Amino acid sequence: MTATIKSYFVCANSSRGFYNFFESNLQGVDHLYILKGGPGTGKSTLMKRIGADFYDLGYDVEFIYCSSDPHSLDGVLIPQLKVGIVDGTAPHVIEPTAPGAVEQYVNLGIAWDRAKLVPYKEAILDLKHQISTCYDLLYYKYAEALKIHDQWEKIYIDEMDFDLAPRFRAILCDALLDYKKEDHLPVVKHRFFGASTPNGSTDYIEDLTRGFKRYFIKGRPGTGKSTLLKELAKKSESLGYDTEIYHCSFDPESLDMVLIPKLNVCFFDSTAPHEYFPSVETDEIIDTYEALITPGTDEANAEALKQIEADYKATVKLGTVALGQAKALHDQLEEIYIQAMNFDIIEGIYVQLKEEIMDFIQ
């Protein structure tokens, strides 16, 4: 069977601050390498190389991307070998479970020529301060946008049929997950299929759902899409199936997708900014607006909705601009460190790491 590559995010710059689901995704990893070292030390490149090497050897690989720089990695997992390599620098907080037995620290900072960095001390401190200020603005603007989104949701919540809604969800859960209960303690992993990045919204929905029976959940803000997904996830767990729960990167308390690998079934919120439409015969649509909201709500509130949507997008954009500025400043910081790096040392670390992982092959 051909090896596969799965791509997703486990961290997000959200309206509720920085969110980290690393711990959930490291379940089952017996050999975890935590990379230390600042900007420009080649952490992402090393992880990409290791992932590509083992993919070429026929192993499934999971690439965990960075929401602050979608071209960089936060981690790579090789599930069949129970191996993971992750970026262990701030803001990623990875609590060791069994240091030395499971986790090993790999310090790429040993490749720095400190004498080349000392003259840039003030520049480094200034850039780090500016980056921190950008993130403060980002989180402030996204939190503002969330309040505007709450106004958007309220229009539809006020028109919701709350007598029908729980019955509607229960019927769907029973009908769509009418499967035999498994004698298995389910593994549940929490992730993001996309993120708000310096380049705008990025997602891996098509790659993650390829070959799955897909249910496209349509609707409006506040029409119960996330609540339905939470109940589908709960039902999947109760039946004993491993479940991948994908949170909304803008508001991680909401869900955007539930994927059940063994059943080859997934349900996802298919509305902007990740709007998709059926493309194969087995795709189906579930529309919460049509099912639960008073007919004519869109039309009756057209002007208010138009203004709210415009305000929301404008506020999100201000946050995204701040994220882009943080990325540009981080690139400047990387340049300072890159000129002080001895990449021959990094090459030696890569070779040693690859050899260690090769030893795990039975």
Side-chain angles (χ1 to χ4, degrees), residues 250-270:
F250 176 72
D251 180 7
E253 293 187 3
S254 292
L255 302 190
D256 273 348
M257 181 165 77
V258 174
L259 193 150
I260 311 168
K262 186 166 184 178
L263 300 180
N264 236 36
V265 169
C266 73
F267 311 88
F268 72 94
D269 179 339
S270 182

Side-chain angles (χ1 to χ4, degrees), residues 9-21 65-70 74 90-92 131-132 134-143 145 192 194-201 247-252 312 316 319-320 322-324 326-327:
F9 300 86
V10 300
C11 298
N13 295 302
S14 81
S15 58
R16 300 182 188 276
F18 184 77
Y19 245 72
N20 181 350
F21 284 128
Y65 280 87
C66 172
S67 57
S68 296
D69 179 1
D74 276 347
H92 316 107
I131 290 168
S132 178
C134 286
Y135 277 103
D136 287 344
L137 178 59
L138 158 69
Y139 297 135
Y140 177 75
K141 287 300 175 184
Y142 278 7
F192 303 98
S196 297
T197 77
N199 303 327
S201 181
H247 294 248
C248 170
S249 63
F250 176 72
D251 180 7
Y312 171 77
V316 167
T320 303
L323 182 57
K327 169 65 168 59

Side-chain angles (χ1 to χ4, degrees), residues 58-341:
Y59 290 91
D60 294 343
V61 172
E62 298 183 8
F63 285 127
I64 301 172
Y65 280 87
C66 172
S67 57
S68 296
D69 179 1
H71 300 297
S72 293
L73 293 185
D74 276 347
V76 61
L77 304 178
I78 311 168
Q80 289 145 291
L81 299 180
K82 299 184 177 181
V83 167
I85 309 172
V86 298
D87 182 342
T89 58
H92 316 107
V93 178
I94 300 169
E95 294 294 336
T97 56
V102 174
E103 298 88 4
Q104 297 182 52
Y105 289 97
V106 181
N107 183 14
L108 276 61
I110 63 172
W112 284 326
D113 181 345
R114 188 169 180 274
K116 292 181 178 179
L117 290 174
V118 171
Y120 290 94
K121 175 186 172 183
E122 294 305 321
I124 290 169
L125 291 173
D126 182 57
L127 284 168
K128 292 184 74 173
H129 174 72
Q130 289 185 65
I131 290 168
S132 178
T133 299
C134 286
Y135 277 103
D136 287 344
L137 178 59
L138 158 69
Y139 297 135
Y140 177 75
K141 287 300 175 184
Y142 278 7
E144 263 193 344
L146 181 61
K147 292 177 182 177
I148 296 170
H149 198 272
D150 289 343
Q151 297 172 26
W152 200 346
E153 288 188 341
K154 187 177 186 304
I155 289 174
Y156 294 102
I157 290 171
D158 288 346
E159 298 298 330
M160 170 84 73
D161 185 335
F162 283 100
D163 291 327
L164 176 59
R167 287 184 285 124
F168 171 75
R169 293 192 297 268
I171 290 168
L172 281 177
C173 286
D174 289 343
L176 302 180
L177 291 179
D178 183 19
Y179 294 94
K180 182 180 178 181
K181 186 177 176 64
E182 296 270 296
D183 184 17
H184 170 68
L185 182 64
V187 175
V188 180
K189 295 184 178 180
H190 295 265
R191 301 169 170 166
F192 303 98
F193 61 56
S196 297
T197 77
N199 303 327
S201 181
T202 299
D203 72 66
Y204 290 105
I205 291 175
E206 289 193 293
D207 288 342
L208 289 167
T209 65
R210 187 173 289 113
F212 278 68
K213 165 68 176 177
R214 303 187 299 182
Y215 293 92
F216 295 65
I217 302 177
K218 299 289 186 179
R220 311 286 189 276
T223 58
K225 301 185 299 297
S226 176
T227 303
L228 173 59
L229 286 166
K230 287 175 182 177
E231 294 194 12
L232 287 163
K234 186 177 179 181
K235 175 78 171 182
S236 174
E237 291 176 54
S238 72
L239 291 172
Y241 292 101
D242 293 347
T243 307
E244 295 176 11
I245 297 176
Y246 292 82
H247 294 248
C248 170
S249 63
F250 176 72
D251 180 7
E253 293 187 3
S254 292
L255 302 190
D256 273 348
M257 181 165 77
V258 174
L259 193 150
I260 311 168
K262 186 166 184 178
L263 300 180
N264 236 36
V265 169
C266 73
F267 311 88
F268 72 94
D269 179 339
S270 182
T271 57
H274 33 78
E275 186 171 21
Y276 290 86
F277 296 92
S279 58
V280 297
E281 190 176 337
T282 55
D283 290 343
E284 293 188 41
I285 289 177
I286 299 169
D287 194 322
T288 56
Y289 175 79
E290 288 189 359
L292 302 173
I293 305 300
T294 303
T297 296
D298 279 345
E299 293 77 8
N301 296 275
E303 285 303 314
L305 288 167
K306 183 179 179 181
Q307 186 61 55
I308 289 172
E309 183 176 5
D311 291 346
Y312 171 77
K313 288 182 176 179
T315 308
V316 167
K317 186 176 180 179
L318 290 173
T320 303
V321 167
L323 182 57
Q325 291 170 338
K327 169 65 168 59
L329 292 164
H330 190 271
D331 289 346
Q332 293 179 40
L333 193 60
E334 281 193 338
E335 285 302 315
I336 293 174
Y337 282 92
I338 286 170
Q339 57 85 31
M341 287 292 296

